Amino acid sequence: MNAIAPGKVILSGEHSVVYGAPAIAMAVSESIQARFSPDNSHSIMIDSGEGEPFVYPLARLPELQQHLNQRYSDFEAGHLPVDKIMDEPQTLLLYALSHFDNLPAGTLTTESTLPTGAGMGSSAAAIAATLVLAEQLSGQPLSLQERFSQVRYCERLQHGRGSAIDAAAVTHGGLIQVQNAEVTRLECHLGAGWYRINSGRPVVSTGECVAAVRETHGSSAIWSKFADITQAFPEALNQPERLTTLLRANHQLLQQIGVVPAPVADFISRVEQLGGAAKISGAGANRGEQGGLILVYLPDGALADLHTLCNQYNYQISALTEDREGARSI
């Protein structure tokens, strides 16, 4: 039994979506695949291919769910930092499984082509693929809306007071707009000239970065400026000059809220000198030198120069490819 869920890139609206502004994201071909093999062990084994597999008694899943719900309540009350809600990262998938009855014992194996901690929704994708499997194993199918809501609910353990953008993109697929948990599928597509650059995993988690921004800019009027850019984005998709201007303005706003590390800002400046535009796509980082995913728009060639620039910074580059299906069984 197998399932797959895509990753995502945020085109516009990261951070501001937390404050009610719209955000636009696209599901991408990089993904997480999950496979479940039933056995007679009376336990669930999580095997991500990294480190030792994590084993947990099947009968104790309700107890784990209650424990993690209490830990999240402690976080909301200010008694626990977001990165201390879970003791082990594998418990996120166990928590997703804990919401289903009649699950068999067995091994859940995940394989990923998504870089972790790079702003591509790896946590949401892992949860979504796990939920698709659990739906089949338990005989409790979810609607698309229910699956989206459940991914978001589970993901809060990882990111704290995050947004719905990751959950929406990995469950719905395609190009979507999210505002206040309302998801709209956009019937338009990116043109040529889009690339994703991995600047390296930030030293802070998404939850930590979101919390830091909330502390310094939570009541700021800057979020309306982000909203203006996002609202103009769909119509600008077939207007390269307008799109370049919007992306550059978005980058400037992200710098103002302090989530663009200095080396990443320098790289983006070099991209602009090539005639393109670039911005952090995801939470970025409020400290350290790595900022996770960088979205680059370079519609007028200069691709060889972009590759040279990435080599100079030791950044990985890939073209963007859309996934239009979202989380599903395979």
Side-chain angles (χ1 to χ4, degrees):
M1 189 171 292
N2 299 271
I4 189 171
K8 68 94 178 67
V9 296
I10 297 179
L11 304 178
S12 183
E14 52 275 280
H15 285 284
S16 60
V17 69
V18 178
Y19 304 97
I24 295 174
M26 186 181 79
V28 296
S29 58
E30 290 85 0
S31 63
I32 288 182
Q33 292 192 30
R35 180 176 68 255
F36 191 87
S37 303
D39 59 34
N40 298 315
S41 66
H42 305 291
S43 297
I44 296 288
M45 177 183 291
I46 305 290
D47 185 1
S48 64
E50 298 181 3
E52 292 295 321
F54 188 81
V55 180
Y56 198 85
L58 181 61
R60 292 183 58 192
L61 285 182
E63 177 185 331
L64 176 69
Q65 181 185 141
Q66 184 179 16
H67 170 70
L68 290 174
N69 285 342
Q70 181 58 55
R71 300 277 286 184
Y72 186 79
S73 295
D74 292 342
F75 157 74
E76 284 194 310
H79 303 317
L80 193 70
V82 65
D83 60 325
K84 300 298 182 183
I85 295 174
M86 295 183 293
D87 295 324
E88 302 286 345
Q90 296 92 334
T91 57
L92 186 62
L93 302 188
L94 291 171
Y95 184 76
L97 293 173
S98 74
H99 293 85
F100 293 83
D101 300 321
N102 305 316
L103 290 176
T107 298
L108 174 64
T109 304
T110 60
E111 297 179 1
S112 178
T113 60
L114 285 168
T116 58
M120 294 192 69
S122 59
S123 296
I127 295 167
T130 299
L131 289 178
V132 171
L133 287 180
E135 292 172 49
Q136 299 174 68
L137 291 166
S138 66
Q140 298 173 252
L142 301 175
S143 68
L144 185 62
Q145 177 62 34
E146 289 171 335
R147 189 180 298 155
F148 155 65
S149 297
Q150 193 64 21
V151 172
R152 188 184 183 197
Y153 182 74
C154 293
E155 193 189 18
R156 81 197 198 287
L157 300 182
Q158 181 76 19
H159 298 320
R161 301 182 187 90
S163 74
I165 193 72
D166 285 17
V170 305
T171 54
H172 285 259
L175 195 64
I176 53 103
Q177 178 172 303
V178 177
Q179 185 170 18
N180 296 324
E182 294 293 325
V183 183
T184 304
R185 185 73 177 263
L186 299 178
E187 299 305 323
C188 53
H189 303 287
L190 298 188
W194 291 91
Y195 306 92
R196 67 168 184 84
I197 312 294
N198 186 0
S199 71
R201 183 169 185 164
V203 296
V204 293
S205 69
T206 295
E208 290 175 85
C209 192
V210 169
V213 170
R214 180 183 295 276
E215 184 175 342
T216 57
H217 292 84
S219 58
S220 170
I222 198 171
W223 308 119
S224 64
K225 298 179 181 178
F226 278 98
D228 291 343
I229 290 172
T230 302
Q231 289 163 353
F233 201 93
E235 289 189 3
L237 281 175
N238 59 356
Q239 304 173 39
E241 290 186 8
R242 175 63 174 153
L243 198 52
T244 299
T245 298
L246 289 173
L247 287 166
R248 290 181 177 183
N250 199 336
H251 166 60
Q252 293 299 320
L253 292 176
L254 290 168
Q255 284 192 298
Q256 288 182 41
I257 64 172
V259 298
V260 186
V264 174
D266 185 65
F267 173 85
I268 291 174
S269 177
R270 300 279 296 278
V271 171
E272 292 179 351
Q273 291 172 22
L274 295 177
K279 57 180 280 294
I280 286 287
S281 177
N286 59 308
R287 55 186 175 86
E289 296 190 347
Q290 290 77 38
L293 183 67
I294 305 171
L295 186 68
V296 171
Y297 180 56
L298 194 64
D300 296 324
L303 181 56
D305 292 333
L306 180 59
H307 276 279
T308 298
L309 184 59
C310 289
N311 288 335
Q312 292 173 1
Y313 283 78
N314 198 28
Y315 290 172
Q316 296 176 328
I317 178 173
S318 301
L320 280 185
T321 306
E322 183 179 359
D323 177 290
R324 300 184 183 182
E325 298 183 71
R328 59 200 181 271
S329 58
I330 54 174

